[in-house]
Amino acid sequence: MEISTLATYHCLAFVWFFFVAYSITNVKTAERPSEVFLYGGQWKYLTVLNLVLQAVFYGVSFLADVLRLIKKLRCAKCIISSRDLLFSVLAFPVSTFVCISFWTLYTYNRELVYPKSLDGVIPLWLNHAMHTAVLPFALLEILALPHRYPAKKKGLILLGFVAFLYISWVLWIYSVTGEWVYPLFALFSPPGLAAFFAGSLAIIVSFYNFGEFLNRMIWGQSKFSP
């Protein structure tokens, strides 16, 4: 794909995710159902954090494209490295996890992750923007250009560290409020919850590996952006 086309795409994707993140973070507090407790605001939800992550990723990608267009290759090289690290370690696996885990649990019992009372607060288009569209964007990014993946050990350590931070945030919220971020967690005993978190980490690691596999299958080992 031509750099100018990539720049246009990344700019539009950045604007889209910024708009979606802005839309969900500006849902009026008074309109939220009682079970959506206030502590931590929307920043306790992985879905919302992922929207911010995607906006940052596409913003960095757009900056890299602009630097390449104006021939600032030395600066572009550093930005491209950051872009590829963001995509490989976080943007692709987290988006895939959010989409697949949400709709799997929603289909099984939506009250565990997205109570019906939210239908009157969050429009249908915004629900799909948060939980559905993120996966096609991630797949399109792999098709659009190659990304250099870090060494497997480094990538998995970074991914595991971010997962640990989020789990710690979830547990902290529970320790303060006595309520779980997602009703699903209340179903587990402490050992069961630990097993659930471990299983979720294993799933997101598999999505990391899947992204690396797709990138290699489409682009081979050696074709990477300058």
Side-chain angles (χ1 to χ4, degrees):
M1 190 179 291
E2 294 292 330
I3 298 177
S4 57
T5 305
L6 278 174
T8 301
Y9 164 66
H10 285 144
C11 180
L12 291 174
F14 166 75
V15 171
W16 167 252
F17 279 109
F18 183 88
F19 169 70
V20 175
Y22 176 83
S23 297
I24 190 60
T25 55
N26 279 274
V27 172
K28 294 180 180 178
T29 300
E31 295 177 350
R32 300 173 192 162
S34 59
E35 63 264 33
V36 183
F37 54 93
L38 297 180
Y39 189 88
Q42 291 95 333
W43 307 111
K44 57 183 170 284
Y45 298 113
L46 184 60
T47 295
V48 177
L49 296 175
N50 180 55
L51 293 175
V52 176
L53 167 65
Q54 301 305 314
V56 170
F57 165 70
Y58 283 106
V60 171
S61 297
F62 176 61
L63 176 59
D65 297 334
V66 170
L67 290 173
R68 292 174 67 194
L69 281 171
I70 63 177
K71 307 300 182 183
K72 299 290 186 179
L73 296 182
R74 181 174 297 181
C75 294
K77 185 176 181 180
C78 178
I79 300 300
I80 287 171
S81 295
S82 299
R83 176 202 70 190
D84 289 348
L85 190 65
L86 268 175
F87 180 77
S88 60
V89 175
L90 294 177
F92 181 85
V94 174
S95 286
T96 307
F97 180 82
V98 164
C99 179
I100 292 178
S101 62
F102 175 82
W103 288 112
T104 299
L105 292 169
Y106 185 97
T107 302
Y108 174 71
N109 182 356
R110 65 170 298 175
E111 295 298 319
L112 297 177
V113 289
Y114 194 83
K116 192 173 181 60
S117 54
L118 287 177
D119 289 345
V121 179
I122 300 175
L124 181 61
W125 74 265
L126 187 53
N127 181 21
H128 282 291
M130 295 188 297
H131 297 116
T132 308
V134 290
L135 181 55
F137 268 100
L139 294 172
L140 183 57
E141 179 66 20
I142 283 187
L143 293 172
L145 75 163
H147 297 82
R148 188 180 297 277
Y149 272 67
K152 180 63 68 70
K153 182 178 180 180
K154 176 183 177 181
L156 294 181
I157 287 175
L158 289 173
L159 178 58
F161 178 70
V162 173
F164 172 77
L165 289 179
Y166 181 68
I167 292 172
S168 298
W169 174 226
V170 168
L171 294 175
W172 171 257
I173 290 173
Y174 178 74
S175 72
V176 172
T177 66
E179 298 183 73
W180 288 109
V181 171
Y182 298 103
L184 170 68
F185 297 160
L187 301 178
F188 297 103
S189 64
L193 189 61
F196 177 82
F197 285 146
S200 297
L201 179 58
I203 291 172
I204 202 169
V205 166
S206 71
F207 291 147
Y208 172 93
N209 291 327
F210 180 62
E212 185 177 31
F213 166 76
L214 287 179
N215 187 72
R216 184 173 63 250
M217 182 179 69
I218 294 169
W219 298 103
Q221 293 282 5
S222 59
K223 187 177 180 181
F224 293 100
S225 302

